[in-house]
Amino acid sequence: MTEPDLSSGGAFLTATGFVPAEMTGTRVTGAVELGPDHHTPWGVVHGGVYATVIESAASIGASVAVQDRGQFAVGVNNQTDFLRPMTSGRLDVLAEPVQQGRTLQLWLVTLTRADDGKVVARGQVRLQNVPLPG
């Protein structure tokens, strides 16, 4: 079986604009460009975009951490805090593990405005390590 392309998550993830840069089992970085396509009817970025980017970054890192064991990681809980609204611009993404065990992992992900360094959202994702299909 070929290794999955962890930087490509299909149309749903592509629509968020999240572009991973560094992808290791202990750190994931990247960026997301936000604009009107991500807005609620009130003109601010939808919280679901933040939750999706957070879950995606954590899932990539957690999966890289266990791929040599024939596993990947699936989110079982995502707790995302929305700290300040945003309408457009670039967010920097940083995901790092808090705990990595045999069956479960916990990752912390921070989304920071590139222009001033302020945190826009942060989330914790609990993931379960499961066997790769096939």
Side-chain angles (χ1 to χ4, degrees):
M1 182 160 100
T2 62
E3 286 189 18
D5 179 5
L6 297 176
S7 65
S8 172
F12 179 69
L13 183 57
T14 299
T16 68
F18 176 47
V19 178
E22 177 184 357
M23 296 179 289
T24 72
T26 58
R27 181 179 165 95
V28 173
T29 64
V32 57
E33 286 290 338
L34 300 171
D37 287 345
H38 302 103
H39 286 182
T40 67
W42 302 276
V44 296
V45 174
H46 193 289
V49 175
Y50 302 135
T52 298
V53 171
I54 286 168
E55 176 115 10
S56 299
S59 295
I60 289 168
S63 292
V64 170
V66 297
Q67 71 183 8
D68 64 337
R69 299 187 335 219
Q71 296 178 310
F72 72 110
V74 296
V76 294
N77 187 52
N78 179 334
Q79 181 180 345
T80 298
D81 296 307
F82 311 111
L83 304 174
R84 37 180 65 83
M86 192 161 168
T87 57
S88 64
R90 191 181 96 204
L91 285 179
D92 293 326
V93 179
L94 172 62
E96 296 177 309
V98 174
Q99 185 269 338
Q100 292 178 294
R102 188 176 54 78
T103 57
L104 294 172
Q105 299 185 53
L106 180 65
W107 282 67
L108 177 64
V109 184
T110 306
L111 306 181
T112 307
R113 282 196 307 227
D115 63 353
D116 65 6
K118 291 188 178 184
V119 177
V120 172
R122 68 172 222 47
Q124 280 192 163
V125 181
R126 170 72 63 189
L127 303 107
Q128 183 175 356
N129 305 326
V130 297
L132 284 165

